[in-house]
Amino acid sequence: MSALDGVLDVRPGERRNTLAAFTTLFAITGGHTLLETARDALFLAKLPASQLPWMYLAIVVVALFFGQIGGRRPRANDRGTVGLALGFAGVVTAGFWALLGSPSQAILYALYIWTGLFASWVTIQFWTLLGRVHTATQARRLYGIIGAGAVLGAVVGAFGARLAMQMLSPRSSVLLAAGVFVAAIAPCLAVTTPPSDGTPKRRRAHAEKDDPRPMSAGVRLLWDNAFARRVLGIVLVSTVSVTLADYVFKSTLAAQIHDARELGEALSSFYAVTNTFALVAQLIVAPWVFRSLGVQRALFLFPSLLVAAATTVVLSGGSLFAALSLKGVDGVFRYSIHRTSTELLLVPVPDGTRERIKPIVDLLGTRGGQAIASVFVLLLVAVAAGDSITVGAIVLTLTVVWVGLVFTIRQLYLDAFRETLRSGGLSGKAELPALDLGALETLFAGLNSSRDVEVLASLELLAEQHRERLIPALILYHPGRDVVLRALEIFKEIGRDDFVPIADRLNDHPDAEVAAAALRARVAVAPDRSLLRARLEDRTPEVAATALVALVARGWIDPEEAEARFTAALATRDWRVATELARAVRDQGANVSDGPVALVFDELLVRIANLAVALHDIPAAGTTPLAPGNVPVVAPAPADVRILVEVARAMGARKNPRFVSHLVAMLDRHVLRAEARLALERTPGALEALDLALTAPQLPRDVRLHIPRTIATFPPSDAAPVLLRHLVHEKDGSVRFKMLRALVKLRRDEPTLDLDPVPLTAAAEATLDHVAELRRWGLALTVGSEDVAISERNADPLRAAHHLLVDLVHDKEVHATERLFLLLGLLFREDFDDVVRGLRSSDPKRRASSVELVENLVQPPLRQRVVAIIGDAQVTPPAIPYEEAVREMLARGSGTIRTLAEVRASELGIEIGPPSERQARASARDELAVSLGARVAERARELLEGPGKVTRAPA
């Protein structure tokens, strides 16, 4: 499988499922091809071809019947269900083999219907299973490989049927197919499914109950969408055409060959050849067609070939060669180019609409088309006009209509694309097919829009499809600054130079950022020393700063002069100039890795970062003027933020380890965090520095809180050991929780990641100890509260500090339990979200189910302690006096618990240290009272309702 990594892009964590799915489809399709070949041979040798339409119609009726049943109850699409279906298919098929010893007409009818139903049903179930296994991104990469297994299975099955016909009999292929179905169980069960989405069954059932007629709602939605109706028409007409073509082929072949063995050999040989060509079409022809012709033109290919083949049938008088040609075109192109092009037709439709109408299109178009074709043939047979020439003429007529529908769908396709583009309904760039000429025309129209959002969307789509060179350079005259900035960035990235004359004119643009960006893009593709020297004295400081960096990057300026100019620019303390300097270093200095220029740039970035710190909290007044039609920014970012965002980007481009400390310091600012993390991820030695930062006592807590998530941006195999090493010894509970969340993210990103169980087990045991301690404190505070209230001086009621302390201890216990289940999930590779929700449920059955699940998932030595905490028969901790609990909280509690415990100890008159310490604690309590503010006052008003009244907070 190593070759799959590069050529076929199958990643290490996906190998098992890809190979299992490929093998399963290979076996299902191979077995079905064996069974279908034997079925056709036996059926056509014993019964007239005029019975085939009845079989088509019977398959449709039975399929619709079971499909309606399936639509009224939840469908099981897990690997066990599919494996059970395969086993059932093997048994039933073997039963047919036994009955075919002396077959009756009823047996042949039943075999025909069974063969037509089973394969489509089990294939749909298996693809539904794969839909649960793979994300959309994985599906786009892997489904071509997996689908090739089905085509290859058809090829091998056809050759196998050929050998079986020659060496044994058509009946033997039935038994061989039964064995292949049973053999498919093993790879099917090897498919690993992801954890459940956590949606409770009752909620899912309620959601389904809310929409009792999903099919009728989908039909109404489809009828209201002209483009979807046209797609349905294409699917319907194409299905009728290929079904009639299948009848022409089988009836013509049955008229020429009457012996079952000879008929089976002919069918198997034909299917082997057509399936081989279909495999070539799937892997080689189809990608080239869609890349070269686009979706709309590819739609013409299959019906055009069918028109030619149907014409041959009519002109040749229904010859066997013409029938073979007609079916050959169908067998080669139906499941490759045709199926893919019709699937891609619905891509421009917004996601929600597409998900509702696509099943209706498949049901009405495919099954409905088969039913219509069956009725056609039955009527023709009834009037004695069911010969190959007549049916071939009907196929010819329908394929001409099919070509007409494809031709007329062009405008509707473009309208759907426009609507989706205008509404921003595209779900993701990677889901778009290659753009054909019509789609490009739509995007060009979008470039001329008066709305900046439409122009930007068109630019992004063209860039995503690698059509950047089609963007006109005149886009730089667009009034929207964001449009011009993005266009300049695109031109610079691909190295275009046709925009240079326009970029030079942008030097007089009223927006200084646009003028500087134009110079950066121009210099990147066509550096000009004289121009840069001229711009060095530009009246716009941002442009002069950009020119200065470009001259330094190319060694076109004296170092002393450059240093003097840098010093003068920074001395202005203008955030705009500092920002442009950082941007220019990012663009011009990214590839300067050593030498004096590299040192100059690195030192400049450090100086800009220090300037930003000095400008902290200064508003970024005087922002860029807004062009007509743009939406003004409500609250511009502070000057230091605007600078540091560009500094972080430039540091990420320079990748110097000396920047790590500056980047780490940015983690406490939300607006800087994403850029700082991205820069750290690119910087050599950053992970080791973050490892040391977790133990640095002088590092502010606001920074340390965000280090675990930053570490999680590095490769999981490198980041996980760092987090595990600090997990047990970290004293700050919030930082420990962040470490756990980071480990969960790493495991989610790489499900096969192995984590050292020793620190995880130690952390779980420490968390269990903490939960037990919190539970003991909560019990003491709750049970002992009445006695304390009675013993207090003047029988005063319990004060607010007590109730806040009870609430805080309870909250801490809940959070500690959540951390415990995160640890258990990492240890045992399970998702415990449903367990946690079940434990919180008021339903005893759900809670009991959660406990039962924990008992089966958690292994010793943790199992007994976990069950003791969450089980119905919870172990009650030893009772301790109220005052002792307060003293324990003072000694071992977290910062907030200790502070509240000191307040409560003062209320109770508990001595907690010498006078000097008591005075310091009194000051701390005063500060706490101020910080708690309105919450404490409101809580106190609720609780202190009168003399002698005690209101107990929940434990």
Side-chain angles (χ1 to χ4, degrees):
M1 295 291 291
S2 60
L4 293 177
D5 293 342
V7 179
L8 299 179
D9 197 18
V10 180
R11 297 169 187 175
E14 301 164 346
R15 292 174 179 172
R16 172 175 173 172
N17 278 347
T18 302
L19 180 59
F22 179 97
T23 308
T24 304
L25 284 176
F26 173 87
I28 293 174
T29 311
H32 178 256
T33 303
L34 284 167
L35 185 60
E36 187 179 49
T37 305
R39 174 204 69 180
D40 290 342
L42 293 168
F43 187 92
L44 294 175
K46 298 287 185 180
L47 298 169
S50 58
Q51 296 296 309
L52 287 174
W54 290 108
M55 295 298 96
Y56 298 154
L57 196 58
I59 291 173
V60 172
V61 172
V62 176
L64 290 175
F65 173 77
F66 283 106
Q68 185 68 13
I69 293 177
R72 294 179 180 272
R73 61 184 62 179
R75 293 182 178 180
N77 48 25
D78 58 274
R79 58 184 180 180
T81 302
V82 180
L84 184 63
L86 288 169
F88 176 76
V91 173
V92 173
T93 305
F96 275 111
W97 170 80
L99 295 173
L100 288 172
S102 54
S104 63
Q105 290 187 1
I107 296 298
L108 293 176
Y109 289 148
L111 176 63
Y112 204 104
I113 295 173
W114 162 255
T115 306
L117 282 176
F118 164 74
S120 61
W121 178 83
V122 76
T123 303
I124 290 172
Q125 292 299 307
F126 186 72
W127 277 107
T128 306
L129 170 64
L130 295 182
R132 293 177 54 209
V133 170
H134 298 104
T135 64
T137 303
Q138 290 174 318
R140 286 189 293 272
R141 286 190 294 102
L142 302 177
Y143 278 11
I145 304 168
I146 295 172
V151 182
L152 183 60
V155 174
V156 175
F159 279 108
R162 170 71 177 173
L163 292 175
M165 299 293 176
Q166 289 179 336
M167 300 174 61
L168 300 170
S169 66
R171 179 175 173 238
S172 63
S173 293
V174 177
L175 183 60
L176 185 58
V180 174
F181 289 147
V182 174
I185 297 174
C188 177
L189 296 180
V191 176
T192 57
T193 56
S196 171
D197 62 359
T199 304
K201 292 182 179 179
R202 287 194 301 177
R203 192 185 306 168
R204 290 197 298 266
H206 181 69
E208 294 173 0
K209 187 177 180 180
D210 289 341
D211 190 7
R213 298 178 61 190
M215 183 176 293
S216 61
V219 170
R220 288 195 299 269
L221 185 62
L222 184 146
W223 186 253
D224 293 335
N225 190 312
F227 175 66
R229 292 200 307 270
R230 193 62 51 86
V231 174
L232 174 61
I234 291 176
V235 175
L236 184 66
V237 173
S238 64
T239 303
V240 175
S241 301
V242 297
T243 304
L244 293 176
D246 181 73
Y247 174 79
V248 170
F249 165 71
K250 291 179 179 178
S251 61
T252 304
L253 192 63
Q256 300 286 334
I257 304 174
H258 303 285
D259 180 74
R261 180 188 294 272
E262 294 179 4
L263 190 58
E265 291 177 1
L267 286 170
S268 60
S269 299
F270 179 81
Y271 289 151
V273 173
T274 55
N275 289 334
T276 301
F277 281 107
L279 181 62
V280 175
Q282 171 80 2
L283 298 178
I284 300 176
V285 178
W288 177 85
V289 167
F290 288 113
R291 183 173 59 252
S292 303
L293 302 181
V295 176
Q296 295 179 67
R297 290 182 177 86
L299 285 169
F300 284 99
L301 182 60
F302 184 42
S304 300
L305 292 173
L306 281 180
V307 167
T311 302
T312 304
V313 171
V314 175
L315 296 179
S316 66
S319 67
L320 179 61
F321 173 79
L324 291 174
S325 301
L326 184 63
K327 182 61 178 177
V329 171
D330 176 28
V332 173
F333 292 103
R334 190 202 306 187
Y335 295 108
S336 54
I337 294 176
H338 171 64
R339 180 62 181 269
T340 306
S341 58
T342 52
E343 290 289 336
L344 290 176
L345 262 182
L346 290 173
V347 168
V349 179
D351 292 348
T353 304
R354 183 172 65 249
E355 291 172 2
R356 297 294 300 276
I357 66 178
K358 189 179 182 303
I360 310 301
V361 170
D362 290 341
L363 179 64
L364 297 180
T366 303
R367 296 303 184 187
Q370 291 174 346
I372 293 173
S374 302
V375 173
F376 256 126
V377 177
L378 289 174
L379 291 176
L380 291 173
V381 171
V383 297
D387 58 284
S388 298
I389 299 176
T390 305
V391 179
I394 296 175
V395 173
L396 177 59
T397 304
L398 288 173
T399 49
V400 171
V401 174
W402 181 356
V403 172
L405 288 173
V406 172
F407 183 81
T408 59
I409 202 174
R410 178 178 182 272
Q411 188 60 43
L412 293 173
Y413 173 77
L414 297 180
D415 289 340
F417 202 98
R418 292 188 186 99
E419 179 183 358
T420 304
L421 180 63
R422 190 177 301 114
S423 63
L426 292 173
S427 60
K429 299 176 184 176
E431 292 186 4
L432 293 174
L435 299 177
D436 53 24
L437 181 60
L440 289 173
E441 291 175 354
T442 302
L443 293 180
F444 290 150
L447 293 177
N448 297 321
S449 173
S450 60
R451 299 179 61 206
D452 287 3
V453 64
E454 292 186 16
V455 183
L456 287 170
S458 297
L459 289 174
E460 296 297 343
L461 288 170
L462 287 169
E464 176 64 24
Q465 297 292 325
H466 306 293
R467 302 294 183 93
E468 302 95 333
R469 295 193 177 276
L470 298 179
I471 301 173
L474 293 176
I475 194 71
L476 298 181
Y477 286 122
H478 195 280
R481 66 184 301 273
D482 292 337
V483 171
V484 177
L485 290 173
R486 182 57 184 137
L488 287 169
E489 190 74 18
I490 292 174
F491 293 160
K492 180 185 65 177
E493 289 174 354
I494 65 172
R496 280 178 57 172
D497 58 5
D498 59 331
F499 73 96
V500 169
I502 301 177
D504 289 342
R505 297 182 183 181
L506 290 179
N507 191 63
D508 297 326
H509 198 282
D511 189 319
E513 185 176 342
V514 171
L519 181 59
R520 287 199 310 274
R522 190 243 196 267
V523 171
V525 299
D528 185 328
R529 184 171 185 173
S530 60
L531 174 68
L532 290 174
R533 292 296 307 187
R535 296 289 170 83
L536 195 58
E537 307 300 335
D538 197 276
R539 66 178 183 275
T540 304
E542 291 89 332
V543 173
T546 302
L548 176 59
V549 173
L551 287 168
V552 172
R554 289 161 178 78
W556 291 347
I557 189 172
D558 182 72
E560 294 183 0
E561 180 186 356
E563 174 61 26
R565 288 182 178 274
F566 281 138
T567 301
L570 295 178
T572 63
R573 298 173 65 86
D574 189 330
W575 68 269
R576 302 173 190 82
V577 175
T579 301
E580 289 302 331
L581 284 172
R583 286 198 187 106
V585 171
R586 180 193 65 190
D587 284 356
Q588 306 294 327
N591 297 323
V592 181
S593 58
D594 52 22
V597 175
L599 296 176
V600 169
F601 283 157
D602 292 343
E603 181 61 30
L604 177 62
L605 289 178
V606 172
R607 292 167 66 183
I608 296 174
N610 293 334
L611 173 63
V613 174
L615 296 178
H616 182 54
D617 289 338
I618 297 178
T623 53
T624 306
L626 299 176
N630 283 347
V631 179
V633 178
V634 177
D640 66 319
V641 170
R642 300 285 292 270
I643 297 173
L644 289 176
V645 165
E646 297 301 333
V647 168
R649 293 170 179 170
M651 288 180 172
R654 296 286 306 134
K655 304 176 184 178
N656 193 328
R658 70 176 293 193
F659 298 144
V660 169
S661 60
H662 296 276
L663 294 170
V664 170
M666 297 181 193
L667 294 176
D668 66 338
R669 304 282 294 276
H670 175 73
V671 291
L672 302 175
R673 200 168 296 141
E675 295 295 344
R677 282 173 173 161
L678 185 60
L680 285 168
E681 186 181 357
R682 297 172 176 172
T683 305
L687 182 59
E688 292 77 6
L690 292 169
D691 186 2
L692 295 174
L694 280 174
T695 58
Q698 72 277 11
L699 198 66
R701 183 175 183 270
D702 289 343
V703 174
R704 292 184 73 250
L705 278 173
H706 302 289
I707 290 180
R709 178 64 179 80
T710 306
I711 292 175
T713 61
F714 290 84
S717 58
D718 299 330
V722 175
L723 294 169
L724 289 172
R725 188 163 53 250
H726 293 281
L727 182 62
V728 178
H729 305 292
E730 176 58 49
K731 302 299 183 183
D732 191 311
S734 297
V735 177
R736 282 199 309 273
F737 181 73
K738 296 280 189 178
M739 290 178 180
L740 283 178
R741 299 299 302 177
L743 287 169
V744 170
K745 178 187 180 299
L746 292 176
R747 174 64 65 74
R748 187 184 304 117
D749 292 343
E750 188 173 320
T752 59
L753 178 65
D754 290 326
L755 300 176
D756 185 0
V758 175
L760 290 174
T761 303
E765 291 176 343
T767 305
L768 284 166
D769 293 338
H770 187 47
V771 171
E773 185 176 57
L774 290 169
R775 183 161 292 181
R776 185 174 69 252
W777 292 345
L779 183 64
L781 292 174
T782 304
V783 174
S785 59
E786 293 185 4
D787 296 335
V788 171
I790 295 173
S791 63
E792 283 187 352
R793 194 165 40 251
N794 299 324
D796 284 341
L798 292 174
R799 302 181 186 178
H802 163 80
H803 303 283
L804 290 174
L805 197 56
V806 171
D807 291 344
L808 180 60
V809 169
H810 178 258
D811 290 343
K812 291 281 187 181
E813 181 184 341
V814 171
H815 296 156
T817 304
E818 291 178 355
R819 292 197 301 273
L820 173 64
F821 279 105
L822 287 178
L823 286 163
L824 295 178
L826 294 171
L827 269 170
F828 302 111
R829 295 181 180 273
E830 294 287 344
D831 186 354
F832 284 92
D833 288 346
D834 283 340
V835 172
V836 174
R837 281 189 286 269
L839 293 173
R840 295 175 180 172
S841 174
S842 58
D843 184 355
K845 291 184 178 180
R846 288 197 64 195
R847 180 176 175 83
S849 299
S850 296
V851 175
E852 184 70 20
L853 190 59
V854 169
E855 288 182 344
N856 286 275
L857 292 176
V858 179
Q859 302 299 319
L862 298 176
R863 177 192 296 161
Q864 185 176 359
R865 297 190 62 187
V866 175
V867 173
I869 289 177
I870 67 171
D872 292 332
Q874 297 181 4
V875 178
T876 302
I880 59 175
Y882 188 101
E883 293 187 3
E884 183 177 344
V886 174
R887 294 183 185 278
E888 286 188 5
M889 285 184 273
L890 287 169
R892 298 194 296 272
S894 63
T896 310
I897 287 182
R898 284 199 307 271
T899 303
L900 284 175
E902 288 172 4
V903 175
R904 186 58 183 149
S906 175
E907 292 175 348
L908 295 174
I910 301 175
E911 296 293 335
I912 53 175
S916 58
E917 291 186 11
R918 290 198 296 271
Q919 182 63 35
R921 290 191 179 98
S923 300
R925 290 195 300 271
D926 293 340
E927 294 178 4
L928 174 67
V930 173
S931 64
L932 290 175
R935 178 190 173 193
V936 175
E938 182 179 354
R939 182 69 167 157
R941 282 195 301 271
E942 292 176 355
L943 298 174
L944 306 180
E945 297 179 350
K949 183 177 179 61
V950 178
T951 305
R952 292 166 53 184

